[in-house]
Amino acid sequence: SAVISQKPSRDICQRGTSLTIQCQVDSQVTMMFWYRQQPGQSLTLIATANQGSEATYESGFVIDKFPISRPNLTFSTLTVSNMSPEDSSIYLCSVVKGGDTEAFFGQGTRLTVV
Amino acid sequence: GDSVTQMEGPVTLSEEAFLTINCTYTATGYPSLFWYVQYPGEGLQLLLKATKADDKGSNKGFEATYRKETTSFHLEKGSVQVSDSAVYFCALFRTGNQFYFGTGTSLTVIP
């Protein structure tokens, strides 16, 4: 299994500012993902965080808006830049361990932009 | 591409009723299939999984069977409890790829 600590758990931010969300895993993992879950909606994959290289972004998401870092196999950050109210959502970190097929999720970060 | 189609909600049941949430998938190759549950204010937790055809995943009284012939992975429980109230997500995963989630089905169980 994998235990994920995601911080902050929630925040209220002013439009035009940026927020960095941290994801710390208790063991080395192969794959790390960042998702967005808008109210009452399913999960939308933002990007795959690649260790030591640039993240792989899904259609509709760009690095300038959602820069991601992954300096090692246990840690990643997602920044939501130049926020607007439309960015209000839950952001989830997820990991998959090598040789496993189960995804583990952090508790999520509930972001409200005012 | 890969995708998951899940029964629309919300679903409201009385305690001890039988639950079925339908899930069908489209995928190349042989994906693993999952049901995740999200309780209010929490992240997703794995409920059960099946990694190959005809496998049955089970946990906490919930069951789902990987049916390759019908590309389905329907979730069932014989007698739901109030504590089962949550949002349920069907998902698939192929090694080296990403997870694909259904839209989620909200279940409310009333006493």
Side-chain angles (χ1 to χ4, degrees):
Chain A
S1 68
V3 177
I4 300 172
S5 173
Q6 189 174 333
K7 296 178 182 179
S9 59
R10 59 178 63 231
D11 208 342
I12 301 173
C13 300
Q14 297 291 324
R15 69 177 65 201
T17 63
S18 298
L19 175 72
T20 295
I21 303 168
Q22 298 182 357
C23 177
Q24 177 72 57
V25 191
D26 68 341
S27 57
Q28 293 186 346
V29 296
T30 306
M31 305 177 78
M32 295 184 78
F33 304 96
W34 288 99
Y35 290 88
R36 182 173 71 186
Q37 184 180 23
Q38 295 181 306
Q41 303 292 316
S42 186
L43 284 72
T44 301
L45 181 64
I46 297 172
T48 302
N50 300 309
Q51 193 265 328
S53 65
E54 191 173 287
T56 304
Y57 290 84
E58 297 301 305
S59 176
F61 298 95
V62 295
I63 187 171
D64 290 346
K65 176 66 176 177
F66 297 101
I68 287 171
S69 78
R70 188 178 173 191
N72 56 52
L73 294 176
T74 64
F75 185 78
S76 178
T77 66
L78 167 74
T79 299
V80 186
S81 303
N82 188 25
M83 288 183 286
S84 67
E86 291 70 36
D87 294 320
S88 297
S89 189
I90 297 172
Y91 292 85
L92 291 159
C93 171
S94 175
V95 304
V96 176
K97 301 185 76 171
D100 202 351
T101 57
E102 178 179 345
F104 300 92
F105 288 84
Q107 294 292 85
T109 296
R110 185 178 297 272
L111 171 63
T112 302
V113 183
V114 297
Chain B
D2 294 357
S3 67
V4 175
T5 302
Q6 189 174 337
M7 185 175 88
E8 294 284 333
V11 174
T12 301
L13 295 174
S14 297
E15 206 165 21
E16 299 183 1
F18 184 85
L19 169 71
T20 299
I21 302 177
N22 290 337
C23 172
T24 58
Y25 68 90
T26 301
T28 55
Y30 303 96
S32 295
L33 301 175
F34 304 81
W35 279 99
Y36 280 85
V37 58
Q38 186 177 35
Y39 298 102
E42 299 185 12
L44 275 72
Q45 303 172 27
L46 178 67
L47 179 60
L48 54 85
K49 69 177 182 181
T51 58
K52 61 183 187 296
D54 300 325
D55 269 3
K56 177 186 285 187
S58 61
N59 185 26
K60 300 181 181 179
F62 291 90
E63 293 183 341
T65 301
Y66 189 161
R67 302 285 188 199
K68 196 172 192 310
E69 64 275 14
T70 54
T71 62
S72 65
F73 193 56
H74 305 320
L75 182 67
E76 297 182 336
K77 186 173 185 180
S79 176
V80 294
Q81 305 299 312
V82 173
S83 57
D84 294 326
S85 298
V87 180
Y88 293 82
F89 293 92
C90 185
L92 73 81
F93 178 75
R94 287 190 290 119
T95 302
N97 207 290
Q98 61 168 284
F99 271 80
Y100 293 87
F101 289 89
T103 53
T105 301
S106 175
L107 170 66
T108 300
V109 180
I110 55 177

